[in-house]
Amino acid sequence: MSDTQATDSPLSGNVLFYSKPEPLNADTHGKLGVNQAEKPYSFVSGTNLVPLTVTEFAPAALSFPVVFLGQPKSPVAVMGLRQDQNLFVTEGGQYQASAYLPAFVRRYPFVFANDDQNQRMVLCIDRAAPFVAEGGTVPLFEGGKPSGFTEQAMKFCNDFETERQRTVRFVEMLEELDLFEVKEANFTPRNPDGTPGQVQRLAEYHAVSEEKLKKLPAKKLAELRDNGALGQIYAHLVSLLGWDRLVAMTFERANTAPPAANA
């Protein structure tokens, strides 16, 4: 269940990008609107990992590695090799047009928060978002009711929550089948004489083991194929070829960066 009404209940959960989430309601936010942002994706530039839902694996695989991280094995898009750098966002806050834009980013500045006391989800907005302001071009409320823009945002967040829950079940299924393994992404630089240099580890993560996948019974493989999971697994595996692209983009970014000023 979702709601846009005010609540006195404590909301739970900390979410990437959202520094000042507030339950959306007409009394507090009735005069707010959204303006066109000069740097629309600057809020993404400081992170290299963005959560993904399972239905995003295929389009995301064309742009960046899709890996599983942490104890919950949460799927994420790896968008840079440094924790504080997103290679797909320019210094001007623009997103690379040819790359897939995760739904986690597209829903911003809206998000659902858990109202544990009332056992419901409450639609919130990040009041710290620079493009949310009083008298904004696109109003959040009209006549004391959610505007068409806000209604669309609520539907998007509802759909995202559905996909998030589907993703949790997908990961649980992979764990039940014992398909995960720990993998490393490595980079071997070249010495000036052209010989291979010392191998550098870029990341350690969880991924589906191709060997374990091949050993599944034919009946189980057919089941994964029929429910669409096999396609998502292969999309994830193909995406792992994207580490080389991230390395190339990192060098390109470094080469185009302005020289540091002399002290």
Side-chain angles (χ1 to χ4, degrees):
M1 179 180 178
S2 62
D3 205 336
T4 59
Q5 301 303 311
T7 177
D8 294 327
S9 303
L11 303 179
S12 64
N14 295 317
V15 186
L16 179 69
F17 303 145
Y18 299 80
S19 60
K20 193 179 178 183
E22 298 178 355
L24 189 63
N25 68 88
D27 292 338
T28 306
H29 307 114
K31 296 181 180 180
L32 292 184
V34 175
N35 294 316
Q36 184 173 356
E38 182 179 351
K39 299 180 178 181
Y41 296 104
S42 59
F43 67 93
V44 193
S45 63
T47 182
N48 65 329
L49 303 174
V50 175
L52 287 175
T53 62
V54 64
T55 51
E56 298 181 277
F57 283 15
L62 301 175
S63 301
F64 20 68
V66 176
V67 305
F68 300 85
L69 294 182
Q71 182 57 37
K73 296 183 175 62
S74 302
V76 299
V78 184
M79 306 177 78
L81 300 181
R82 289 171 41 186
Q83 291 184 359
D84 60 348
Q85 183 184 66
N86 191 313
L87 295 169
F88 295 84
V89 180
T90 68
E91 290 187 4
Q94 302 298 318
Y95 192 80
Q96 187 179 115
S98 60
Y100 176 73
L101 183 62
F104 192 95
V105 175
R106 282 181 276 135
R107 71 175 178 172
Y108 187 80
F110 297 95
V111 65
F112 274 137
N114 292 320
D115 178 357
D116 295 328
Q117 182 173 322
N118 294 308
Q119 297 184 333
R120 63 177 181 174
M121 301 291 288
V122 177
L123 184 66
C124 297
I125 189 167
D126 187 4
R127 192 62 185 85
F131 43 83
V132 175
E134 287 198 15
T137 305
V138 181
L140 299 183
F141 292 90
E142 295 176 328
K145 296 182 179 181
S147 65
F149 174 78
T150 300
E151 291 285 357
Q152 290 179 353
M154 187 185 303
K155 182 181 184 305
F156 189 90
C157 288
N158 263 317
D159 292 343
F160 182 87
E161 179 62 19
T162 298
E163 292 303 320
R164 188 193 66 80
Q165 293 175 5
R166 181 177 298 168
T167 303
V168 170
R169 294 193 295 270
F170 174 79
V171 172
E172 289 175 347
M173 177 195 65
L174 296 183
E175 291 207 274
E176 289 173 1
L177 295 174
D178 189 29
L179 290 180
F180 283 115
E181 67 175 353
V182 176
K183 296 193 70 173
E184 287 187 356
N186 297 309
F187 168 62
T188 305
R190 289 286 177 180
N191 294 319
D193 61 1
T195 59
Q198 184 175 358
V199 176
Q200 300 178 12
R201 190 177 76 169
L202 301 177
E204 184 178 274
Y205 57 92
H206 295 282
V208 171
S209 166
E210 292 186 71
E211 288 303 314
K212 291 182 178 181
L213 186 64
K214 291 176 183 177
K215 293 179 181 178
L216 287 180
K219 184 177 180 180
K220 178 56 67 174
L221 282 171
E223 180 182 324
L224 295 177
R225 178 200 64 204
D226 294 342
N227 66 20
L230 192 59
Q232 306 297 359
I233 290 172
Y234 281 128
H236 150 65
L237 292 173
V238 170
S239 79
L240 300 182
L241 299 174
W243 287 106
D244 288 342
R245 181 185 184 190
L246 290 184
V247 171
M249 292 176 69
T250 300
F251 280 117
E252 182 180 4
R253 178 71 65 92
N255 291 334
T256 57
N262 294 327

